[in-house]
């Protein structure tokens, strides 16, 4: 079962979902394929479905087939057990201030109670973040928690929101927005709402709003098509992705990928050079932050394209060299 290892833990969850959700009347191959496609990776249907459906020695024998319908071999729902390491990881998560946003007080109390005798893997103060701004977001603030949950609920139900926020010039702006996603940016230690402005009275464009800047939010009783919003939002990304070579000097892989974790990217490891070639997809309003991040990591990153970002990096570096030269 080479699919089942620490690198593909999603398959554990997926197969467990399939086995425990199959109704008594069974499911068709088409339904099975749909579930695997929706909950797996791009290549999952090709890799996993033959192993689930084959009735010979090559299959997993977790499903059996009868008259073109598939049934689970389980007679009872399996019990789930956690290792000590998993419990320690959960205990560590309960100490993170951001957990307040995802669990209510009762859920968090019960979780902490069940883990009271477990030591965490590490404490929050053990980790010191570099290249992080000092916005000091208060994730315990009840107003912030309420705001986060209102937005999460609106995203879940595909509802428009009317949001009033302070822009970078401290000017109050009010927009009707179709939310696309909530995004955590480690460089700012804050959550941002990315959405599409498409109200009849406003110019359509994509927008990113720091939750800390929101002054008022009203959930509207109008709904949007999430697939249409996703297509529109993706269309606003820069036509040419950022393409760079990354070395692992000074743990470059860990450091860079962590700081760029909120960006969609494709990575290819080169066995000869022992470096990664990364394609990173971004919106126009991300460019300034990306340039600052790239400069901060120095020689572990070599930007290949686009030429516009490459030239701006050269200008910034030359300006810094001139500044130090004149001291």
């Amino acid at each position: 079962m080479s699919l089942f290892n620490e690198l593909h833990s999603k398959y554990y969850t997926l197969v467990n979902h399939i086995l425990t959700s199959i109704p008594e009347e069974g499911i068709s191959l088409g339904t099975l394929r749909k579930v695997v496609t929706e909950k797996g990776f791009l290549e999952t249907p090709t890799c996993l479905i033959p192993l689930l459906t084959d009735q010979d020695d090559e299959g997993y024998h977790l499903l059996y087939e009868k008259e073109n319908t598939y049934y689970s071999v389980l007679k009872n729902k399996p019990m789930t057990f956690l290792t000590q390491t998993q419990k320690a990881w959960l205990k560590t998560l309960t100490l993170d201030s951001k957990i307040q946003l995802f669990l209510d007080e009762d859920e968090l109390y019960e979780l902490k109670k069940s883990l009271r005798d477990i030591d965490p893997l590490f404490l929050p103060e053990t980790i010191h973040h570099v290249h992080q701004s000092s916005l000091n977001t208060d994730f315990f603030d009840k107003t912030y928690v309420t705001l986060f949950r209102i937005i999460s609920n609106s995203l879940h139900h595909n509802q428009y929101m009317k949001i009033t926020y302070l822009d970078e010039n401290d000017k109050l702006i009010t927009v009707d927005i179709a939310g696309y996603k909530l995004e955590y940016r480690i460089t700012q230690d804050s959550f941002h709402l990315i959405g599409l402005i498409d109200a009849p009275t406003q110019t359509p464009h994509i927008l990113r709003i720091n939750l800390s800047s929101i002054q008022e939010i009203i959930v509207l009783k109008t709904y949007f098509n999430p697939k249409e919003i996703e297509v529109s939002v993706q269309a606003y990304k820069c036509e040419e992705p950022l393409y760079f070579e990354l070395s692992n000097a000074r743990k470059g892989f860990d450091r860079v990928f962590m700081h760029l974790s909120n960006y969609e990217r494709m990575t290819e490891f080169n066995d000869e050079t022992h470096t990664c070639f990364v394609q990173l997809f971004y919106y126009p309003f991300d460019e300034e932050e990306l340039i600052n991040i790239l400069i901060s990591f120095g020689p572990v990153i070599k930007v290949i394209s686009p030429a516009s970002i490459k030239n701006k990096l050269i200008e910034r570096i030359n300006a810094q060299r001139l500044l130090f030269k004149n001291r």
Side-chain angles (χ1 to χ4, degrees):
M1 293 187 179
S2 59
L3 284 176
F4 294 95
N5 58 57
E6 64 277 8
L7 298 178
H8 296 105
S9 60
K10 191 178 187 75
Y11 287 98
Y12 283 105
T13 305
L14 177 54
V15 172
N16 180 70
H17 172 78
I18 292 171
L19 292 176
T20 56
S21 63
I22 292 180
E24 291 185 3
E25 61 271 21
I27 61 171
S28 65
L29 179 60
T31 302
L32 177 62
R33 187 176 298 277
K34 181 180 178 181
V35 171
V36 172
T37 301
E38 290 178 349
K39 296 186 177 296
F41 301 114
L42 185 64
E43 72 279 2
T44 304
T46 303
C47 300
L48 189 59
I49 288 181
L51 296 171
L52 290 174
T53 57
D54 285 352
Q55 304 297 300
D56 55 24
D57 293 337
E58 298 298 322
Y60 288 158
H61 299 285
L62 297 174
L63 303 177
Y64 66 92
E65 185 263 339
K66 183 178 180 182
E67 298 179 354
N68 297 322
T69 302
Y70 292 90
Y71 302 86
S72 170
V73 299
L74 301 180
K75 295 182 179 179
N76 299 296
K77 188 174 181 178
M79 295 182 64
T80 301
F81 297 93
L82 296 177
T83 65
Q84 287 297 111
T85 302
Q86 288 174 317
K87 292 178 181 178
W89 175 242
L90 285 174
K91 181 64 172 283
T92 307
L93 291 180
T94 65
L95 302 178
D96 189 323
S97 60
K98 293 182 285 295
I99 199 69
Q100 313 287 328
L101 305 174
F102 301 95
L103 300 176
D104 61 35
E105 292 182 1
D106 291 338
E107 290 172 329
L108 191 55
Y109 172 79
E110 290 298 327
L111 183 57
K112 288 184 175 181
K113 182 179 177 181
S114 65
L115 298 171
R116 60 183 178 274
D117 297 325
I118 304 296
D119 292 326
L121 294 177
F122 55 86
L123 298 174
E125 55 267 26
T126 305
I127 298 178
H128 175 68
H129 294 280
V130 295
H131 309 304
Q132 190 176 75
S133 64
S134 55
L135 292 178
N136 296 322
T137 304
D138 184 4
F139 297 113
F140 289 100
D141 180 68
K142 290 188 179 298
T143 301
Y144 192 95
V145 173
T146 300
L147 179 66
F148 182 92
R149 291 177 180 171
I150 289 173
I151 294 175
S152 297
N153 189 64
S154 299
L155 290 172
H156 180 72
H157 292 97
N158 306 318
Q159 287 181 270
Y160 282 96
M161 294 170 280
K162 183 180 289 292
I163 293 178
T164 300
Y165 69 99
L166 289 171
D167 67 6
E168 60 273 12
N169 299 315
D170 287 335
K171 179 182 177 182
L172 278 176
I173 306 291
T174 300
V175 293
D176 290 351
I177 186 170
Y180 174 58
K181 68 175 179 178
L182 277 168
E183 177 182 270
Y184 176 71
R185 304 179 79 83
I186 194 171
T187 54
Q188 299 180 17
D189 190 29
S190 60
F191 284 91
H192 295 246
L193 170 66
I194 294 180
L196 189 68
I197 310 299
D198 64 347
T201 59
Q202 297 168 325
T203 304
H205 64 283
I206 190 173
L207 188 66
R208 184 180 70 207
I209 304 174
N210 189 329
L211 266 62
S212 297
S213 70
I214 295 177
Q215 306 299 301
E216 183 181 31
I217 181 170
I218 300 174
V219 179
L220 305 177
K221 294 183 179 180
T222 51
Y223 301 83
F224 57 84
N225 186 319
K227 291 185 178 180
E228 292 179 0
I229 295 299
E230 181 175 11
V231 171
S232 299
V233 167
Q234 293 297 327
Y236 278 96
K237 286 187 176 178
C238 292
E239 187 173 337
E240 184 179 4
L242 172 64
Y243 186 50
F244 61 90
E245 183 180 8
L246 172 64
S247 79
N248 200 27
R250 296 164 56 199
K251 297 185 177 180
F253 291 173
D254 291 341
R255 294 164 55 225
V256 172
F257 287 146
M258 181 173 65
H259 279 82
L260 298 177
S261 59
N262 56 291
Y263 292 97
E264 178 187 353
R265 63 184 186 271
M266 296 176 61
T267 305
E268 182 179 355
F269 183 75
N270 188 305
D271 291 320
E272 295 181 0
T273 61
H274 300 289
T275 60
C276 280
F277 287 87
V278 182
Q279 287 189 76
L280 186 143
F281 304 91
Y282 64 100
Y283 302 107
F285 53 62
D286 290 322
E287 184 175 293
E288 184 65 25
E289 180 188 57
L290 276 175
I291 289 175
N292 292 334
I293 291 175
L294 294 171
I295 288 179
S296 71
F297 285 109
V300 301
I301 288 179
K302 178 183 177 182
V303 175
I304 300 171
S305 64
S308 59
I309 288 186
K310 191 173 181 179
N311 292 335
K312 289 179 181 178
L313 284 169
I314 293 173
E315 290 176 5
R316 297 275 186 93
I317 293 171
N318 286 336
Q320 289 179 353
R321 290 177 61 188
L322 184 61
L323 181 65
F324 283 104
K325 184 178 179 181
N326 294 333
R327 282 189 172 183

